[in-house]
Amino acid sequence: METRVRYAEIRPYTVPDSLSELTGPTDGFVELPIDLDWSQQRRYDLAVDKDRRRLYETVIREAMSPAELTRFLHAGLLLQLWPSLWLPPRARSLWQEKFPELRWIAA
């Protein structure tokens, strides 16, 4: 029987060197560039929980450089949102391996 490998299992995900590097916005509106979010609604209101979660999920899944993570994510918000983020298992695992505090928060 042929074993299939899903793209999500081998896809590269970017992880910052330190959570303290994540100094993105904590309020207002954020508009993602088209290379991170190609949907029609790329503008997120950080005052709205659903928007905050979608923004963080999108950036964590799609960022190809630490600079993109730094620009759009904030460490405090990430820690707050982490348990409720829907992420590919491999992305979640990579972040939690690098930052055990995320694993503790998710437990």
Coordinates of all heavy atoms in Angstrom, one line a residue, residues 6-49:
R6 N 1.2 14.2 3.3 CA 0.4 15.4 3.1 C 1.4 16.6 3.1 O 2.3 16.7 3.8 CB -0.6 15.6 4.2 CG -1.6 14.4 4.2 CD -2.5 14.4 5.4 NE -3.6 15.3 5.0 CZ -4.5 15.6 5.9 NH1 -4.5 15.2 7.1 NH2 -5.5 16.4 5.5
Y7 N 1.0 17.6 2.3 CA 1.9 18.8 2.2 C 2.0 19.5 3.6 O 3.1 19.9 3.9 CB 1.3 19.8 1.2 CG 2.1 21.1 1.1 CD1 3.4 21.0 0.5 CD2 1.6 22.3 1.5 CE1 4.1 22.2 0.4 CE2 2.3 23.4 1.4 CZ 3.6 23.4 0.8 OH 4.4 24.5 0.7
A8 N 1.0 19.5 4.4 CA 1.1 20.1 5.7 C 2.1 19.5 6.6 O 2.6 20.1 7.5 CB -0.3 20.1 6.4
E9 N 2.4 18.2 6.3 CA 3.4 17.5 7.1 C 4.9 17.8 6.7 O 5.8 17.5 7.5 CB 3.2 16.0 7.0 CG 1.8 15.6 7.5 CD 1.4 14.1 7.2 OE1 2.2 13.4 6.5 OE2 0.3 13.7 7.5
I10 N 5.1 18.4 5.6 CA 6.4 18.7 5.1 C 6.7 20.1 4.8 O 7.8 20.6 4.6 CB 6.8 17.8 3.9 CG1 5.9 18.1 2.7 CG2 6.9 16.4 4.2 CD1 6.4 17.6 1.4
R11 N 5.6 20.9 4.8 CA 5.6 22.3 4.5 C 6.6 23.0 5.5 O 6.5 22.8 6.7 CB 4.2 22.9 4.6 CG 4.2 24.4 4.2 CD 2.8 24.9 4.7 NE 2.5 26.2 4.2 CZ 3.2 27.3 4.6 NH1 4.1 27.3 5.5 NH2 2.9 28.5 4.0
P12 N 7.4 24.0 5.0 CA 8.2 24.7 5.9 C 7.4 25.8 6.6 O 6.5 26.5 6.0 CB 9.3 25.4 5.0 CG 8.6 25.4 3.6 CD 7.7 24.3 3.6
Y13 N 7.6 25.9 7.9 CA 7.0 27.0 8.7 C 8.1 27.8 9.3 O 9.1 27.3 9.8 CB 6.1 26.4 9.8 CG 4.8 25.7 9.2 CD1 4.8 24.3 9.2 CD2 3.8 26.4 8.8 CE1 3.7 23.7 8.6 CE2 2.6 25.8 8.3 CZ 2.6 24.4 8.2 OH 1.5 23.8 7.7
T14 N 7.9 29.1 9.4 CA 8.9 30.0 10.0 C 8.6 30.2 11.5 O 7.4 30.4 11.8 CB 8.8 31.4 9.3 OG1 9.0 31.2 7.9 CG2 9.9 32.3 9.8
V15 N 9.6 30.1 12.3 CA 9.5 30.3 13.7 C 10.5 31.3 14.1 O 11.7 31.2 13.7 CB 9.7 28.9 14.5 CG1 9.6 29.1 16.0 CG2 8.8 27.9 14.0
P16 N 10.2 32.3 14.9 CA 11.2 33.3 15.3 C 12.2 32.7 16.3 O 12.0 31.7 16.9 CB 10.3 34.4 16.0 CG 9.2 33.6 16.6 CD 8.9 32.5 15.6
D17 N 13.3 33.4 16.4 CA 14.4 33.0 17.4 C 13.9 33.2 18.8 O 14.3 32.4 19.7 CB 15.7 33.8 17.1 CG 16.3 33.3 15.8 OD1 16.2 32.2 15.4 OD2 17.0 34.2 15.2
S18 N 13.1 34.2 19.0 CA 12.6 34.5 20.4 C 11.2 35.1 20.3 O 10.9 35.9 19.4 CB 13.6 35.5 21.0 OG 13.0 36.1 22.1
L19 N 10.4 34.9 21.3 CA 9.1 35.5 21.3 C 9.2 37.0 21.5 O 8.3 37.7 21.1 CB 8.2 34.9 22.4 CG 7.7 33.4 22.2 CD1 6.9 33.0 23.4 CD2 6.9 33.3 20.9
S20 N 10.2 37.4 22.2 CA 10.4 38.9 22.4 C 10.6 39.7 21.1 O 10.4 40.9 21.1 CB 11.6 39.1 23.4 OG 12.8 38.7 22.8
E21 N 10.9 39.0 20.0 CA 11.0 39.6 18.7 C 9.7 40.0 18.2 O 9.6 40.9 17.3 CB 11.7 38.7 17.7 CG 13.1 38.3 18.0 CD 13.6 37.3 17.0 OE1 13.0 37.1 16.0 OE2 14.7 36.8 17.3
L22 N 8.6 39.4 18.7 CA 7.3 39.7 18.1 C 6.7 40.9 18.8 O 6.2 41.0 19.9 CB 6.4 38.5 18.4 CG 6.9 37.1 18.0 CD1 5.9 36.0 18.3 CD2 7.1 37.1 16.5
T23 N 6.9 42.0 18.0 CA 6.5 43.4 18.5 C 5.5 44.0 17.7 O 5.4 45.3 17.6 CB 7.8 44.2 18.7 OG1 8.4 44.3 17.4 CG2 8.8 43.7 19.7
G24 N 4.7 43.2 17.0 CA 3.6 43.8 16.1 C 2.6 44.5 16.9 O 2.6 44.7 18.1
P25 N 1.6 45.0 16.2 CA 0.5 45.8 16.7 C -0.4 45.0 17.7 O -0.5 43.8 17.6 CB -0.3 46.3 15.5 CG 0.0 45.3 14.5 CD 1.4 44.8 14.7
T26 N -0.9 45.8 18.7 CA -1.8 45.2 19.6 C -3.3 45.8 19.5 O -4.2 45.3 20.2 CB -1.3 45.4 21.1 OG1 -1.2 46.8 21.3 CG2 0.0 44.7 21.3
D27 N -3.4 46.8 18.7 CA -4.7 47.4 18.5 C -4.8 48.0 17.1 O -3.8 48.1 16.4 CB -5.1 48.4 19.6 CG -4.1 49.6 19.7 OD1 -3.3 49.7 18.7 OD2 -4.1 50.3 20.7
G28 N -6.0 48.4 16.8 CA -6.2 49.0 15.4 C -6.5 48.0 14.4 O -6.8 46.9 14.7
F29 N -6.3 48.4 13.1 CA -6.5 47.5 12.0 C -5.2 47.1 11.4 O -4.2 47.9 11.4 CB -7.3 48.3 10.9 CG -8.8 48.5 11.4 CD1 -9.1 49.6 12.1 CD2 -9.7 47.5 11.0 CE1 -10.5 49.8 12.5 CE2 -11.0 47.7 11.4 CZ -11.4 48.8 12.1
V30 N -5.1 45.9 10.9 CA -3.9 45.4 10.3 C -4.3 44.8 8.9 O -5.3 44.1 8.8 CB -3.3 44.2 11.1 CG1 -2.1 43.6 10.3 CG2 -2.8 44.7 12.4
E31 N -3.6 45.3 7.9 CA -3.9 44.8 6.5 C -2.7 44.0 6.1 O -1.6 44.5 6.0 CB -4.2 45.9 5.5 CG -4.6 45.3 4.2 CD -5.2 46.3 3.3 OE1 -5.7 47.3 3.8 OE2 -5.2 46.1 2.1
L32 N -2.9 42.7 5.8 CA -1.8 41.8 5.4 C -1.5 42.0 3.9 O -2.5 42.2 3.1 CB -2.1 40.4 5.7 CG -2.2 39.9 7.1 CD1 -2.6 38.5 7.3 CD2 -0.9 40.2 7.9
P33 N -0.3 41.9 3.5 CA 0.1 41.9 2.1 C -0.5 40.7 1.4 O -0.7 39.6 2.0 CB 1.6 42.0 2.1 CG 2.0 41.4 3.4 CD 0.9 41.7 4.4
I34 N -0.7 40.8 0.1 CA -1.3 39.7 -0.6 C -0.4 38.4 -0.6 O -1.0 37.3 -0.7 CB -1.6 40.1 -2.1 CG1 -2.6 39.2 -2.7 CG2 -0.3 40.2 -2.9 CD1 -3.4 39.8 -3.8
D35 N 0.9 38.5 -0.4 CA 1.7 37.3 -0.3 C 1.5 36.5 1.0 O 1.8 35.3 1.0 CB 3.2 37.6 -0.6 CG 3.8 38.5 0.5 OD1 3.1 39.4 0.9 OD2 5.0 38.3 0.8
L36 N 0.9 37.1 2.0 CA 0.5 36.4 3.2 C -1.0 36.0 3.2 O -1.3 35.0 3.8 CB 0.8 37.3 4.4 CG 2.2 37.4 4.9 CD1 2.3 38.3 6.1 CD2 2.7 36.0 5.2
D37 N -1.8 36.8 2.6 CA -3.2 36.6 2.6 C -3.8 37.0 1.3 O -3.9 38.1 1.0 CB -3.9 37.3 3.8 CG -5.3 37.0 4.0 OD1 -6.0 36.4 3.1 OD2 -5.9 37.4 5.0
W38 N -4.2 36.0 0.5 CA -4.7 36.3 -0.8 C -6.2 36.2 -0.9 O -6.8 36.2 -1.9 CB -4.1 35.3 -1.9 CG -4.2 33.9 -1.5 CD1 -5.2 33.0 -1.7 CD2 -3.2 33.1 -0.7 NE1 -4.9 31.8 -1.1 CE2 -3.7 31.8 -0.5 CE3 -2.0 33.5 -0.2 CZ2 -3.0 30.9 0.2 CZ3 -1.3 32.5 0.5 CH2 -1.8 31.2 0.7
S39 N -6.9 36.3 0.3 CA -8.3 36.4 0.4 C -8.8 37.8 0.0 O -8.0 38.7 0.0 CB -8.8 35.9 1.7 OG -8.5 36.9 2.7
Q40 N -10.1 38.0 -0.2 CA -10.6 39.3 -0.5 C -10.6 40.2 0.8 O -10.6 41.4 0.6 CB -12.0 39.2 -1.1 CG -12.0 38.5 -2.4 CD -13.4 38.4 -3.0 OE1 -14.4 38.7 -2.3 NE2 -13.4 38.0 -4.3
Q41 N -10.6 39.6 1.9 CA -10.7 40.4 3.2 C -9.4 40.2 3.9 O -9.2 39.3 4.7 CB -11.8 40.0 4.0 CG -12.0 40.9 5.2 CD -13.3 40.5 6.0 OE1 -14.0 39.6 5.7 NE2 -13.5 41.2 7.1
R42 N -8.4 41.1 3.6 CA -7.1 41.0 4.2 C -6.9 42.0 5.4 O -5.8 42.1 5.9 CB -6.0 41.2 3.1 CG -6.0 40.2 2.0 CD -4.8 40.3 1.1 NE -4.3 41.6 0.9 CZ -4.6 42.4 -0.2 NH1 -5.4 42.0 -1.1 NH2 -4.1 43.6 -0.3
R43 N -8.0 42.6 5.7 CA -7.9 43.6 6.8 C -8.5 43.1 8.1 O -9.6 42.5 8.0 CB -8.7 44.9 6.3 CG -8.4 46.1 7.2 CD -9.0 47.3 6.6 NE -8.5 48.5 7.3 CZ -9.3 49.4 7.8 NH1 -10.7 49.3 7.5 NH2 -8.9 50.4 8.4
Y44 N -7.8 43.2 9.2 CA -8.2 42.6 10.4 C -8.3 43.7 11.5 O -7.4 44.5 11.6 CB -7.2 41.5 10.9 CG -7.1 40.4 9.9 CD1 -6.2 40.5 8.8 CD2 -7.9 39.3 10.0 CE1 -6.1 39.4 7.9 CE2 -7.8 38.2 9.0 CZ -6.9 38.3 8.0 OH -6.8 37.3 7.1
D45 N -9.4 43.6 12.3 CA -9.6 44.5 13.4 C -9.2 43.8 14.7 O -9.8 42.9 15.1 CB -11.1 44.9 13.5 CG -11.4 45.9 14.6 OD1 -10.5 46.2 15.4 OD2 -12.5 46.4 14.6
L46 N -8.1 44.3 15.3 CA -7.6 43.7 16.5 C -8.5 43.8 17.7 O -8.2 43.1 18.7 CB -6.2 44.2 16.8 CG -5.1 43.8 15.8 CD1 -3.8 44.4 16.1 CD2 -5.0 42.3 15.6
A47 N -9.5 44.6 17.6 CA -10.5 44.7 18.7 C -11.5 43.6 18.6 O -12.2 43.4 19.6 CB -11.2 46.1 18.6
V48 N -11.5 42.8 17.5 CA -12.5 41.7 17.3 C -11.8 40.4 17.5 O -10.8 40.1 16.7 CB -13.2 41.9 16.0 CG1 -14.1 40.7 15.7 CG2 -13.9 43.2 15.8
D49 N -12.2 39.6 18.5 CA -11.5 38.3 18.8 C -11.4 37.5 17.5 O -10.3 36.9 17.3 CB -12.3 37.6 19.9 CG -11.5 36.3 20.3 OD1 -10.4 36.4 20.7 OD2 -12.2 35.2 20.1

